[in-house]
Amino acid sequence: MSLTDKTVLLCTCNDTMPIDRDALARNLGAQSTAVHTAMCQKDLALFRANATGDVLIGCTQEQRLLGDVVEESAQARTVRFVNLRESAGWSAEAPRSTPKMAALLAAAALPDPEPVPSVAYKSEGQLLIVGPLDSALRWAETLHPALSVTILATEPSHDSELPTARNYPVFSGRLVRLTGWLGAFDAEWAQENPIDLDVCTRCNACVKACPEHAIGWNFQVDLDRCKDHRACVSACGVIGAIDFDRRDTARSAHFDLVLDLQREPSFSQHQPPQGYFAPGADPLAQAKVAAELALALGEFEKPRYFAYKPSICAHARAKKTGCTQCVDICSTLAISADGDHIAVEPHLCMGCGACTTVCPSGALTFAYPSAAELGTRARTLLGAYERAGGRDAALLLHAADAEPALASLARRGRGLPARVLPLAVHHIASVGIDVWMAALAWGATGVAVLATGREAPQYLAALRFQMSIAQAIANAQGYQGEHFRLIDARTQDIGTALWNWPVALPPRIAATFAATTDKRRTLALAFDHLAQHAPIPQAAIPLPAGAPFGTLAVDAGRCTMCLACVGSCPEAALLDHAEAPQLRFIESNCVQCGLCATTCPEQAITLVPRLALAPEARAPRVLNEAKIFACTRCGKPMGTEKLVLAMIERLRGHSMFSGADSLARLQMCADCRVVDLVTNERTVDIRQI
């Protein structure tokens, strides 16, 4: 990519990394390229003078300082930063890193992703603290000056003491249900103790009256000590806070925030809703959460990370369930079934994108950034690297939480190999087989995905499965080697996994197509290019069960050509014929959702996972066809022979059709059946017409 309108300012960081200014200037074609030794120190004045126009700075450590200098100088229109030091310069192969630096700079010069719609939250500071009374009181005293606190004591210890001032409501009971998100939590609980703390005036009359001392300064009855004297009820008198026969135990309220101090958190999913905090028993974790809660006031926004196209969703049809992969994998429980489609609650979605990666049809797509925008960045990296003389490029996809580990690798180890091009993504689970296969077609020898261990376990399982599919497709066509690698930082050394990764075989010629937001379209472009240049051409490649590509096997002996499967197919992979009883199939459209097999009343359809690479896969082919059954009297077509004969066989034992003439009429069209009845019978049974 050309940087003709950019000013590129680089630094060798006190000569700890080599930078070939002439080679970079030649390859990038930048408006101006300057290399400093200490851009943040002795060269700062020169840096300020050079920072004009659209500026691209090859340093992220001093981003704050350098950004302030550029802003103060008022000579720059825009400024961007790219990490060359940890990504390329601090490496055992630093002398060979010029193509990599050129690639990183070219990618950094790309325009920002298109803006996406936002999801709004509003918090007025209504905080529910739920858990043991003593710890809940401790944090309520700390937080109530900043937030509107309510306590739900699920474990009202007999030794706990309520404060003398009623600065916030205190309830006791069992939390029955908690739903919602930041600014919209709904809590339901059961008031199980005879004393209702919301009504209690804390006058101490019940405490003094109880002969068993079953009521402590928490103003709750210890039912194990209580001997049913009910002296407390009399002492409470007109206040009426004590009721041993209470039936209206259901309570509910709305909150903006929740601090959950219970032993078992209310939300068990990997990523609970925003605004919900369950720090456990660790005092340090509780203090950190308290600091966050104090700031959780006001209006907030986040991107709407996904886009949904229900018309091609393969979840269900006519109350028959097909694909549930997005529902199953979501770690926030944001996705649920909604009739024939799905519903995604954007307030619960945390932007992992795993649902879009496993979606076989592309009905769910990741929007922040889109696959097309990420593909442009990957293609720019690979293209700039190759044009600068680089060879055997591999992509390393990583999220922001992996950057400290990569920086440590550069400082303490060998750094990244010169051929490994890091590409930051919003979440590693948001990138799947479409971008991986496109990268292979664009000339990458492989794609590595770096997991830090903070991801939901099901995400890694899904990535491994998709990699097994991608690897099978590449290897079957003669692209030898390991093209796709998932690196789990919990169990693997990152440096070892990258430096010991043998170079795999890419296509002879790099593809030039651009990625699209249509997953199946991008995959088709990648598959076509890889097939065109395959060392071992294949017409079809067998794939494991669950793969999103495949054909169907139809048992002609069972199939009655009812064509229920055609109506159930959400991808238009199954078709009928306007002029003949045929079941036709377009294999490239099939996502192996299984709706056709589930819908088929004869159970005549079997899924066969594979990838068909021949052009015929895009054209309709006949899976089954049937003979026409004609009226035995006039020859008018009545339907398929198998369907009509099956109907006759089922009716053969019915009392209405016990005679030979009656069975014979079933082989006639409706008009001929009436004529035959009138001609041959004196008494016409209207039920046989």
Side-chain angles (χ1 to χ4, degrees), residues 633-677:
R633 185 182 180 98
C634 70
K636 179 181 177 181
M638 292 175 57
T640 68
E641 182 179 86
K642 184 175 290 186
L643 192 61
V644 174
L645 293 179
M647 177 193 67
I648 293 172
E649 188 61 32
R650 288 171 184 168
L651 294 174
R652 184 179 297 277
H654 197 281
S655 59
M656 289 174 51
F657 305 98
S658 57
D661 291 343
S662 298
L663 286 172
R665 290 189 191 103
L666 290 175
Q667 302 179 45
M668 301 177 189
C669 67
D671 294 337
C672 291
R673 204 174 301 147
V674 174
V675 172
D676 187 72
L677 279 167

Side-chain angles (χ1 to χ4, degrees), residues 372-624:
E373 291 168 325
L374 182 62
T376 297
R377 196 162 295 275
R379 189 159 61 102
T380 298
L381 276 170
L382 294 166
Y385 178 81
E386 182 185 22
R387 287 190 295 274
R391 297 183 58 187
D392 304 328
L395 292 179
L396 173 63
L397 306 181
H398 67 88
D401 62 352
E403 290 177 358
L406 294 177
S408 179
L409 184 66
R411 289 189 176 99
R412 305 185 181 200
R414 302 170 67 187
L416 294 176
R419 72 183 189 93
V420 174
L421 308 177
L423 176 57
V425 296
H426 184 74
H427 195 292
I428 60 169
S430 68
V431 188
I433 192 172
D434 52 336
V435 175
W436 303 340
M437 296 305 294
L440 187 59
W442 292 327
T445 63
V447 177
V449 177
L450 176 57
T452 61
R454 286 182 281 275
E455 304 84 4
Q458 63 266 34
Y459 295 171
L460 302 190
L463 293 175
R464 288 191 180 95
F465 180 67
Q466 290 220 344
M467 283 187 173
S468 71
I469 296 171
Q471 193 65 60
I473 293 170
N475 289 160
Q477 297 179 85
Y479 294 108
Q480 300 175 354
E482 182 187 0
H483 296 87
F484 308 100
R485 175 170 285 200
L486 178 63
I487 302 172
D488 189 343
R490 296 171 303 174
T491 58
Q492 295 173 271
D493 179 76
I494 300 171
T496 301
L498 292 172
W499 285 94
N500 294 347
W501 187 12
V503 175
L505 183 66
R508 293 182 297 105
I509 299 173
T512 58
F513 68 84
T516 73
T517 54
D518 184 331
K519 174 188 283 189
R520 304 288 289 197
R521 175 62 179 160
T522 300
L523 282 166
L525 292 169
F527 291 155
D528 283 350
H529 183 83
L530 294 172
Q532 182 181 355
H533 300 282
I536 306 175
Q538 299 286 344
I541 300 171
L543 295 176
F549 318 103
T551 186
L552 302 176
V554 175
D555 186 338
R558 289 186 173 188
C559 177
T560 61
M561 294 295 293
C562 68
L563 301 181
C565 55
V566 174
S568 70
C569 180
E571 314 302 332
L574 283 167
L575 312 167
D576 58 4
H577 196 290
E579 300 177 357
Q582 289 183 344
L583 176 61
R584 299 185 299 160
F585 178 63
I586 302 176
E587 185 164 345
S588 63
N589 289 357
C590 181
V591 300
Q592 297 280 287
C593 66
L595 275 169
C596 55
T598 304
T599 302
C600 178
E602 287 83 27
Q603 298 183 337
I605 300 176
T606 304
L607 305 181
V608 182
R610 71 175 190 178
L611 177 64
L613 297 169
E616 291 76 18
R618 296 190 179 93
R621 77 170 190 270
V622 177
L623 289 181
N624 195 22

Side-chain angles (χ1 to χ4, degrees), residues 216-484:
W217 297 113
N218 63 355
F219 299 100
Q220 293 286 274
V221 178
D222 185 340
L223 295 175
D224 292 331
R225 296 185 184 184
C226 178
K227 302 302 181 184
D228 298 332
H229 290 96
R230 301 298 190 264
C232 56
V233 177
S234 300
C236 190
V238 295
I239 301 300
I242 307 176
D243 185 352
F244 283 83
D245 300 314
R246 182 182 290 110
R247 294 186 178 182
D248 57 333
T249 60
R251 304 285 187 272
S252 63
H254 176 88
F255 300 97
D256 299 315
L257 302 157
V258 177
L259 173 57
D260 192 343
L261 302 174
Q262 299 177 102
R263 292 185 178 89
E264 294 294 330
S266 299
F267 291 106
S268 59
Q269 61 262 41
H270 183 80
Q271 289 183 289
Q274 289 183 308
Y276 171 85
F277 302 88
D282 182 0
L284 184 60
Q286 291 180 358
K288 182 179 178 182
V289 162
E292 292 184 54
L293 285 166
L295 299 175
L297 276 166
E299 297 183 7
F300 307 91
E301 287 187 348
K302 72 175 181 183
R304 186 183 177 95
Y305 295 107
F306 64 92
Y308 178 51
K309 188 176 181 180
S311 61
I312 59 172
C313 177
H315 173 66
R317 287 294 184 275
K319 298 183 179 180
K320 300 287 186 180
T321 302
C323 174
T324 61
Q325 293 193 64
C326 60
V327 179
D328 296 339
I329 201 170
C330 181
S331 68
T332 65
L333 303 184
I335 307 177
S336 59
D338 184 22
D340 284 351
H341 302 109
I342 60 165
V344 186
E345 176 47 69
H347 292 91
L348 291 177
C349 174
M350 301 289 275
C352 68
C355 57
T356 68
T357 293
V358 300
C359 178
S361 66
L364 272 172
T365 55
F366 197 68
Y368 186 78
S370 69
E373 291 168 325
L374 182 62
T376 297
R377 196 162 295 275
R379 189 159 61 102
T380 298
L381 276 170
L382 294 166
Y385 178 81
E386 182 185 22
R387 287 190 295 274
R391 297 183 58 187
D392 304 328
L395 292 179
L396 173 63
L397 306 181
H398 67 88
D401 62 352
E403 290 177 358
L406 294 177
S408 179
L409 184 66
R411 289 189 176 99
R412 305 185 181 200
R414 302 170 67 187
L416 294 176
R419 72 183 189 93
V420 174
L421 308 177
L423 176 57
V425 296
H426 184 74
H427 195 292
I428 60 169
S430 68
V431 188
I433 192 172
D434 52 336
V435 175
W436 303 340
M437 296 305 294
L440 187 59
W442 292 327
T445 63
V447 177
V449 177
L450 176 57
T452 61
R454 286 182 281 275
E455 304 84 4
Q458 63 266 34
Y459 295 171
L460 302 190
L463 293 175
R464 288 191 180 95
F465 180 67
Q466 290 220 344
M467 283 187 173
S468 71
I469 296 171
Q471 193 65 60
I473 293 170
N475 289 160
Q477 297 179 85
Y479 294 108
Q480 300 175 354
E482 182 187 0
H483 296 87
F484 308 100

Side-chain angles (χ1 to χ4, degrees), residues 4-189:
T4 53
D5 60 342
K6 300 287 190 298
T7 297
V8 179
L9 303 177
L10 309 176
C11 182
T12 64
C13 199
N14 197 26
D15 289 330
T16 59
M17 62 179 188
I19 295 180
D20 190 333
R21 192 201 73 84
D22 293 338
L24 284 175
R26 185 169 57 253
N27 285 294
L28 295 173
Q31 176 177 293
S32 172
T33 302
V35 177
H36 302 279
T37 302
M39 195 158 53
C40 61
Q41 296 286 335
K42 67 181 183 66
D43 295 337
L44 192 58
L46 183 58
F47 165 82
R48 179 185 289 107
N50 289 334
T52 60
D54 295 322
V55 182
L56 186 56
I57 301 173
C59 175
T60 54
Q61 175 177 290
E62 301 298 336
Q63 181 170 337
R64 182 176 179 179
L65 168 65
L66 299 177
D68 288 345
V69 170
V70 171
E71 185 177 350
E72 290 170 4
S73 70
Q75 300 179 95
R77 290 187 297 269
T78 63
V79 59
R80 295 175 184 235
F81 296 85
V82 57
N83 184 349
L84 294 185
R85 189 177 70 179
E86 280 84 5
S87 298
W90 281 0
S91 167
E93 294 182 339
R96 299 166 48 193
S97 66
T98 297
K100 184 177 187 176
M101 290 184 179
L104 294 171
L105 290 166
L110 290 170
D112 292 330
E114 290 293 322
V116 298
S118 61
V119 179
Y121 299 87
K122 184 177 181 179
S123 169
E124 296 179 349
Q126 300 287 336
L127 170 65
L128 172 65
I129 303 179
V130 55
L133 181 59
D134 51 355
S135 55
L137 286 171
R138 184 169 61 254
W139 287 112
E141 288 297 312
T142 301
L143 292 168
H144 86 83
L147 301 170
S148 180
V149 173
T150 297
I151 288 178
L152 174 58
T154 56
E155 299 177 40
S157 170
H158 193 73
D159 297 327
S160 300
E161 183 173 349
L162 292 181
T164 55
R166 194 189 290 268
N167 293 318
Y168 40 80
V170 179
F171 300 93
S172 69
R174 174 176 52 87
L175 185 63
V176 175
R177 188 167 178 262
L178 180 65
T179 60
W181 50 81
L182 175 65
F185 286 104
D186 289 306
E188 299 175 11
W189 67 91

